[in-house]
Amino acid sequence: MAARQVDTTLPKDVPTQLLIGGKWRPAHSSQTLAVSDPATEQVVAEVADGSVEDARLALEAAVVAFSGFKKTSAYQRSRWLRSWFEAILAHRDPLARLITIENGKPLTEALGEVDYAASFVEWFSEEAKRVYGRTIPATTTDRRLLAIRQPVGVVAAITPWNFPAAMITRKLAPALAAGCTVVLKPASLTPLTALYLAKLWQEAGPPDGTLNVITTSQASAVADAWMSDQRLRKVTFTGSTPIGQELIRKSADQVQRLSLELGGQAPFVVFDDADLDLTIAAMLVSKFRNGGQSCVASNRMLVQRNILAAFTERATAATAALRIGHGLTPGVEIGPLIDRPGRQKVLDHIADALAKGAQVQTGGRALDGSGFFVQPTVLSGVQPGMRVMEEETFGPLVAISAFDTEEQGVALANSSPFGLAAYAFTASAGRAWRVAERLEYGIVGLNEGLPSTAQAPFGGWKLSGIGREGASEGLDAFLEEKYIAWGGIDA
Ligand code: SIN
């Protein structure tokens, strides 16, 4: 365990107020919200705790801004986004430091997240210029039929704490590229990164009110205030499946468009012809990125029985070697869980599996002292019916289960109501293709532990969500189609 006492002084220029209509303001109620470092449990900042009144003002500002922003040229929006991209990279160090302090992930990972966040802004600054329409052959010569695409309107973005920068830019960059204006509610656990990103957007010079930020402890009330208003046309959300289901219900009255990136329960299927060096390296990234707190984290290691012992031994050695501690300490590879309930869920999954017959190969316990740390853990003998095989653990737990045939491996992988990401490892091209086609998931990593990238469509099947982020699909999500029939043409 690396030392937990480190200097957590925040960058000096981090905003702590709400951003509404281009102005930084305290909450209407003057209330503030404490932000803590999950590695020490110490409060590191207080930010404005926005209320329903503030949320309504933010929506009003976005509505006013939309009337002008939708008329700006795609090339102008592209330039604002390009400036934002450059500003994010120029502030890579303070942004990464904020991410580590409020989220807990190691600094090297936080730097990687800033690059990942910036890549969405770069990609959509370029895609902004490629929103094309169509002409459609008419049945008579006096008509012309056209389909054009226009911004969907004012968008609410509700973002999670596990990627405090990248989940914001993945939503905001395409929305702004399309000409939408945004009200953003970042996770209350990680508001500082969001506020810093918003400051950089403002400094890029776009019109006031294009991005408004409400940090709040009253997430549900703020969502209600926005979604009961007919002028809000779209909600884009990353978070848990139960909250996503709640948003589907809330969207019904105003028939708001939805993009939902929800929970996962990713299988990591290892066939007996897999290259074990490559597989273990992929397992480390897919399982331990952000300490396992990712929707695409592998949750169930399904290993063909004749290589079970070799895989378990290699996975255990690699996991036991991981260095745990405060994310700002050089060399640390695993930080804390985000909070007490997050840590308890991992411990509950371990206890449940052990009670039902699994065995600990390494780890298995919380660390004493402050901070929400759980040892990187490997469990063998994991079976269907254990919680770790059915629910998303969101923590540093490698749960290993065996299968015999390819059919059994695929069937086990598909035996989940979730369908975000799945992974498969094999040296056979035929098997790779066959298995990829049979997996009921929106994302498949074939001999690959980190498939996420700005230019590919990211999203889930079944309980894992609706819609795609990234790629051209990510921009489509913020556009409405309009069909124009033009008659009376003297051909
Ligand atoms: C997530 O965990 O929601 C996103 C992970 C990713 O973009 O790879």
Side-chain angles (χ1 to χ4, degrees):
M1 161 82 192
R4 271 182 243 176
Q5 286 316 315
V6 294
D7 175 14
T8 56
T9 311
L10 299 179
K12 284 199 182 48
D13 52 348
V14 192
T16 56
Q17 296 189 315
L18 310 174
L19 178 62
I20 301 178
K23 303 218 161 30
W24 295 100
R25 310 176 181 195
H28 186 256
S29 63
S30 306
Q31 297 289 306
T32 59
L33 173 69
V35 185
S36 300
D37 175 350
T40 61
E41 301 179 48
Q42 301 295 312
V43 173
V44 292
E46 296 278 343
V47 299
D49 190 359
S51 62
V52 165
E53 284 83 357
D54 300 304
R56 290 203 181 108
L57 283 178
L59 182 62
E60 198 60 50
V63 169
V64 170
F66 181 60
S67 61
F69 197 56
K70 68 181 177 190
K71 296 183 196 142
T72 56
S73 75
Y75 275 72
Q76 177 60 70
R77 295 196 297 276
S78 167
R79 283 193 288 273
W80 282 319
L81 284 165
R82 183 79 204 178
S83 302
W84 193 28
F85 161 69
E86 282 160 7
I88 291 170
L89 289 187
H91 295 82
R92 193 170 178 258
D93 290 335
L95 273 167
R97 189 173 167 81
L98 282 177
I99 293 172
T100 294
I101 292 171
E102 63 180 357
N103 164 280
K105 70 180 67 177
L107 191 60
T108 44
E109 268 194 55
L111 287 163
E113 184 184 339
V114 177
D115 295 342
Y116 183 43
S119 74
F120 290 105
V121 183
E122 182 181 39
W123 167 262
F124 286 110
S125 74
E126 292 157 0
E127 286 298 284
K129 297 178 269 185
R130 309 194 212 299
V131 176
Y132 301 118
R134 281 185 297 156
T135 57
I136 303 156
T139 45
T140 56
T141 55
D142 62 343
R143 296 176 93 206
R144 298 292 180 272
L145 313 183
L146 305 108
I148 62 168
R149 297 194 300 157
Q150 295 183 295
V152 66
V154 177
V155 172
I158 305 176
T159 56
W161 49 262
N162 62 341
F163 291 88
M167 296 305 100
I168 289 178
T169 56
R170 183 151 84 184
K171 292 170 168 38
L172 267 49
L176 296 163
C180 299
T181 56
V182 180
V183 286
L184 166 67
K185 191 213 80 62
S188 57
L189 292 165
T190 55
L192 299 170
T193 311
L195 293 168
Y196 205 92
L197 283 171
K199 172 177 121 69
L200 297 180
W201 168 251
Q202 256 205 315
E203 289 169 4
D208 287 345
T210 45
L211 172 59
N212 306 277
V213 186
I214 299 295
T215 49
T216 183
S217 60
Q218 301 167 48
S220 179
V222 164
D224 284 346
W226 286 343
M227 294 181 74
S228 59
D229 193 316
Q230 208 270 329
R231 297 170 303 169
L232 184 91
R233 294 315 316 143
K234 162 101 193 180
V235 177
T236 173
F237 168 74
T238 294
S240 72
T241 294
I243 305 279
Q245 290 164 326
E246 194 58 44
L247 292 174
I248 293 172
R249 285 188 275 272
K250 285 191 213 268
S251 71
D253 285 348
Q254 307 301 341
V255 193
Q256 276 128 349
R257 307 312 186 234
L258 291 173
S259 293
L260 303 175
E261 203 260 278
L262 308 178
Q265 225 286 357
F268 186 97
V269 189
V270 187
F271 293 100
D272 58 8
D273 59 348
D275 172 337
L276 266 196
D277 289 339
L278 182 153
T279 305
I280 294 295
M283 185 279 284
L284 288 175
V285 66
S286 105
K287 178 71 259 183
F288 292 111
R289 175 172 174 235
N290 195 21
Q293 300 169 109
S294 158
C295 302
V296 292
S298 47
N299 219 73
R300 303 169 278 154
M301 311 297 163
L302 309 176
V303 183
Q304 203 154 14
R305 200 174 304 276
N306 47 345
I307 55 156
L308 184 63
F311 177 88
T312 304
E313 190 187 323
R314 303 265 315 255
T316 302
T319 302
L322 293 171
R323 190 149 179 252
I324 187 167
H326 196 293
L328 291 177
T329 306
V332 159
E333 295 160 292
I334 301 282
L337 278 307
I338 189 70
D339 60 8
R340 198 173 299 281
R343 176 177 62 184
Q344 194 54 48
K345 184 172 191 195
V346 181
L347 295 174
D348 288 349
H349 279 202
I350 295 172
D352 171 77
L354 294 181
K356 292 172 182 163
Q359 299 93 44
V360 176
Q361 298 296 327
T362 185
R365 294 184 37 249
L367 296 191
D368 296 334
S370 58
F372 305 114
F373 292 92
V374 173
Q375 293 172 325
T377 298
V378 176
L379 296 182
S380 58
V382 170
Q383 301 287 344
M386 297 178 180
R387 284 184 65 186
V388 64
M389 290 288 270
E390 278 152 25
E391 299 168 28
E392 188 174 42
T393 307
F394 242 53
L397 169 58
V398 177
I400 305 177
S401 195
F403 68 88
D404 291 297
T405 64
E406 184 180 308
E407 283 64 34
Q408 283 172 357
V410 173
L412 254 183
N414 284 338
S415 65
S416 167
F418 295 96
L420 185 55
Y423 304 86
F425 292 81
T426 173
S428 151
R431 174 181 268 166
W433 189 242
R434 211 164 45 237
V435 168
E437 285 188 341
R438 288 180 191 165
L439 286 169
E440 295 163 2
Y441 288 81
I443 302 165
V444 175
L446 281 180
N447 295 331
E448 170 62 58
L450 186 55
S452 313
T453 180
Q455 66 273 31
F458 184 107
W461 290 15
K462 304 194 278 186
L463 289 190
S464 291
I466 298 174
R468 294 293 177 274
E469 296 190 308
S472 55
E473 290 88 338
L475 186 54
D476 294 344
F478 296 98
L479 294 165
E480 276 285 19
E481 195 89 17
K482 183 179 283 172
Y483 158 56
I484 302 171
W486 189 346
I489 293 169
D490 189 7

